[in-house]
Amino acid sequence: MTLRPVDMQVIVPKVTEVGKQQQVQNLAPDQQQHFLGQQGQVEADHRQKTVQSSPQSEEGRIRERQQNKQGRQQGKSKSGRRDQDEQEESVPQDPLRGRLLDIKI
């Protein structure tokens, strides 16, 4: 294919335009990736700063557990002393355990 001088006069000015368009196309994925990264960081910061509310069903379960635990503790406090005395008598104690402390520097 031969180029005539008239063709060269039309092509040369368009080379700069085509070069700019090509540069924009080459940089577009990098810019999009950068923008998405920044947007993700902003969302992560926002999520970290906001208080997350728990569903009410979970709150009810927690309250039930606390009430059950309090009820058990009240029941154990009456018979707890007897159980502790029985456990202390049944478990043999090691005479060296809990009296000496080894420290290495």
Side-chain angles (χ1 to χ4, degrees):
M1 176 175 171
T2 61
L3 292 175
R4 293 177 289 164
V6 175
D7 293 334
M8 287 297 288
Q9 288 177 349
V10 173
I11 291 175
V12 170
K14 289 188 177 183
V15 168
T16 56
E17 294 174 21
V18 171
K20 289 178 184 178
Q21 290 177 354
Q22 188 66 34
Q23 185 178 10
V24 168
Q25 287 178 352
N26 288 341
L27 294 177
D30 292 336
Q31 289 175 346
Q32 289 175 350
Q33 187 69 27
H34 182 70
F35 176 74
L36 290 174
Q38 285 180 337
Q39 188 177 11
Q41 183 65 34
V42 168
E43 289 176 7
D45 290 342
H46 179 69
R47 273 189 258 123
Q48 186 177 13
K49 291 178 182 178
T50 58
V51 176
Q52 297 180 2
S53 62
S54 62
Q56 290 189 8
S57 62
E58 288 182 15
E59 291 176 10
R61 290 179 189 164
I62 293 171
R63 287 183 188 145
E64 289 175 7
R65 288 179 188 165
Q66 289 175 346
Q67 290 172 355
N68 289 340
K69 191 181 256 187
Q70 288 174 354
R72 289 181 198 151
Q73 288 176 353
Q74 289 174 356
K76 285 183 179 180
S77 65
K78 294 177 184 175
S79 64
R81 291 182 183 164
R82 286 184 237 144
D83 292 341
Q84 286 179 354
D85 292 339
E86 291 174 7
Q87 287 178 356
E88 288 177 2
E89 292 174 5
S90 64
V91 177
Q93 296 291 328
D94 186 12
L96 297 178
R97 192 170 213 180
R99 295 186 184 185
L100 299 176
L101 180 63
D102 294 334
I103 299 176
K104 293 183 180 181
I105 299 177

